[in-house]
């Protein structure tokens, strides 16, 4: 079972998400356990102050190191990967999600205000992680993205493994388009090949669509795919009608 610890100023934001859909069912099944830590519980004054002005001046406030250190230390020695959600962090991707899913513990620190004191990284050894090239008001939405991506990879979290193995990024490519019934809607038809029942042709169509979309929308992924070589990736596993 994976234990996911979240250090945050807003633990109430997580409740509805962690209790719903795949994340909630995974917890009920004993696949994952969530522990939410209120950062203000580790403030040192009666006002529960957790931020202060930055050294050197400048706009915004900085999250103080003391409450973060003590909140993390309250979790005990088993932290697993310790991650600070940060806009200047390494970009989160599928290989990272896989790495976290293989751990027994994962600890996420949600930043807030202008920044987090750098000693959280240098002193606690936290790795900085970003979910994209944009800035959020806090680390909570980013943490939920990470949690969702990780938990759905855990054995038993989804109804069947193919639900995850056919996703975008699972094998380095974007996933092909999906269709369901009815076969025609407002003049738009499901591609004939998907209705043919010919599994080999369907697999070939999906492979070509994955490659086309990846080359068009994510040239960075396409370049990496080509550099690594198709033979190293195998074939997509969602090759069913």
């Amino acid at each position: 079972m994976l234990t996911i610890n979240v250090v945050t100023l807003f633990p109430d934001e997580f409740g509805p998400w962690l209790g719903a859909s795949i994340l909630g069912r995974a917890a009920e099944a004993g696949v994952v356990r969530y522990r939410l830590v209120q950062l203000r519980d580790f403030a040192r004054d009666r006002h529960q102050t957790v931020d202060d002005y930055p050294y050197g001046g400048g706009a915004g406030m900085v999250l103080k190191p003391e409450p973060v250190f003590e909140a993390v230390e309250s979790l005990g020695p088993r932290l697993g990967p310790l991650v600070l959600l940060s806009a200047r962090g390494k970009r989160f991707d599928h290989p990272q999600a896989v790495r976290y899913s293989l751990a027994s513990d994962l600890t996420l620190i949600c930043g807030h205000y202008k920044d987090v004191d750098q000693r959280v990284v240098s002193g606690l050894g936290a790795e900085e992680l970003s979910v994209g090239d944009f800035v959020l008001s806090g680390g909570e939405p980013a943490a939920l993205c990470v949690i969702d991506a990780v938990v759905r990879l855990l054995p038993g979290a989804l109804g069947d493994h193919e639900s995850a193995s056919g996703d975008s990024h699972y094998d380095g490519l974007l996933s092909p388009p999906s269709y369901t019934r009815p076969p025609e809607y407002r003049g738009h038809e499901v591609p004939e090949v998907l209705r043919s029942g010919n599994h080999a042709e369907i697999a070939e169509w999906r492979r070509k669509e994955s490659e086309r979309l990846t080359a068009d929308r994510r040239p960075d992924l396409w370049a990496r795919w080509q550099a690594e070589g198709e033979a190293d990736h195998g074939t997509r596993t969602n090759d069913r009608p």
Side-chain angles (χ1 to χ4, degrees):
M1 179 176 69
L2 172 64
T3 296
I4 300 180
N5 309 301
V6 183
V7 178
T8 172
L9 287 167
F10 303 98
D12 291 345
E13 288 190 12
F14 289 86
W17 290 98
L18 299 184
S21 189
I22 293 169
L23 300 183
R25 292 197 298 270
E28 291 177 0
V31 173
V32 65
R33 177 173 67 127
Y34 308 114
R35 292 200 298 174
L36 303 176
V37 178
Q38 169 57 264
L39 187 59
R40 290 195 189 278
D41 290 344
F42 299 88
R44 296 183 171 183
D45 66 338
R46 63 188 180 90
H47 299 294
Q48 293 187 304
T49 304
V50 295
D51 62 316
D52 209 335
Y53 296 100
Y55 276 116
M61 304 293 282
V62 176
L63 205 59
K64 294 162 60 68
E66 306 101 303
V68 179
F69 269 69
E70 293 177 18
V72 170
E73 290 167 352
S74 74
L75 294 167
R78 291 184 53 183
L79 301 174
L82 179 60
V83 179
L84 171 64
L85 284 309
S86 168
R88 64 168 166 266
K90 179 180 178 181
R91 186 183 294 182
F92 182 57
D93 57 17
H94 181 73
Q96 286 281 69
V98 172
R99 178 166 73 89
Y100 296 155
S101 74
L102 297 175
S104 59
D105 298 84
L106 172 64
T107 302
L108 305 175
I109 304 171
C110 300
H112 211 72
Y113 307 112
K114 173 68 175 180
D115 205 351
V116 178
D117 191 292
Q118 183 62 23
R119 286 167 290 189
V120 170
V121 175
S122 59
L124 285 175
E127 53 186 271
E128 294 181 276
L129 192 72
S130 169
V131 295
D133 296 336
F134 50 87
V135 178
L136 297 167
S137 297
E140 285 75 18
L144 281 168
C145 287
V146 173
I147 292 170
D148 193 287
V150 170
V151 170
R152 68 192 318 278
L153 295 175
L154 300 176
L158 297 179
D160 62 86
H161 178 66
E162 289 194 18
S163 295
S165 64
D167 289 342
S168 291
H169 306 290
Y170 188 89
D171 61 2
L173 295 176
L174 300 183
S175 62
S178 297
Y179 295 86
T180 187
R181 294 170 179 78
E184 185 276 333
Y185 182 69
R186 297 192 180 187
H188 299 276
E189 294 188 357
V190 176
E192 184 177 349
V193 64
L194 297 181
R195 295 177 284 161
S196 69
N198 188 316
H199 289 208
E201 291 184 2
I202 291 171
E204 179 68 7
W205 181 88
R206 285 177 167 158
R207 181 185 65 81
K208 288 182 177 179
E209 284 295 293
S210 288
E211 293 176 353
R212 179 185 66 81
L213 290 174
T214 305
D216 180 56
R217 299 179 181 179
R218 290 295 303 273
D220 56 326
L221 295 179
W222 180 242
R224 185 169 65 188
W225 170 270
Q226 290 182 307
E228 293 175 352
E230 285 187 41
D232 296 333
H233 300 287
T235 58
R236 300 191 68 89
T237 57
N238 60 344
D239 301 330
R240 62 177 189 269

